Amino acid sequence: MPRTFNKAPKQSTAHLGFQAKLWLTADKLRSNGAPAEYKHGVLGLTRTAAAEFGRQGIRVNAVLPGSTATPMLLGFIGEDEGLRRMMEATTPIGRLIDPEDIAEAAVWLSGTHARMVNAQAMSVDGGGVQSR
């Protein structure tokens, strides 16, 4: 039986976030549908948790980062400028995403300006998803 709550708190800045980032090669993408299933699973979990905890004043959103200039990614790219240019070309802004851009999105989602944002997937990818 689902739990019910009499009244949600008037103010809440609580925020839970789930993040999914999967690195794939084109060969893996063609031969295996599992990565898409993982991403949809995270989005489903986000929406389900938002519905479950919303009446308690807890918002749940997903931050979906693009190719972010983390130490791991930069180590993978190494000195290969061609690979870096190829990855930068996947976004209309033409550069890798700074980790601070991801952090600012998460901070905004957890703040009072986003108090009515719940069960959403926020792409922080420089427009990469929309440009494909």
Side-chain angles (χ1 to χ4, degrees):
M1 174 178 224
R3 293 181 287 169
T4 58
F5 302 94
N6 295 332
K7 190 174 181 184
K10 291 185 185 218
Q11 289 265 353
S12 175
T13 57
H15 174 78
L16 300 175
F18 299 97
Q19 176 180 340
K21 183 65 181 173
L22 301 169
W23 287 99
L24 307 170
T25 64
D27 290 337
K28 287 182 184 176
L29 187 59
R30 281 193 296 268
S31 65
N32 186 356
E37 292 168 4
Y38 301 151
K39 289 179 183 181
H40 286 286
V42 169
L43 296 178
L45 180 60
T46 299
R47 292 178 185 125
T48 300
E52 175 74 18
F53 298 114
R55 297 221 183 257
Q56 297 176 46
I58 299 172
R59 297 175 288 118
V60 182
N61 296 290
V63 175
L64 310 173
S67 297
T68 307
T70 62
M72 185 174 93
L73 179 63
L74 295 175
F76 173 75
I77 294 172
E79 301 296 318
D80 189 342
E81 285 302 313
L83 178 57
R84 184 181 185 109
R85 282 192 300 274
M86 181 187 74
M87 293 185 81
E88 290 173 340
T90 64
T91 65
I93 64 170
R95 66 174 177 84
L96 296 175
I97 311 303
D98 292 327
E100 292 80 12
D101 296 325
I102 307 302
E104 287 178 14
V107 168
W108 181 80
L109 281 170
S110 64
T112 57
H113 290 351
R115 67 182 177 263
M116 293 305 294
V117 180
N118 192 28
Q120 299 302 307
M122 177 185 275
S123 293
V124 183
D125 66 354
V129 170
Q130 284 72 25
S131 66
R132 293 185 186 132

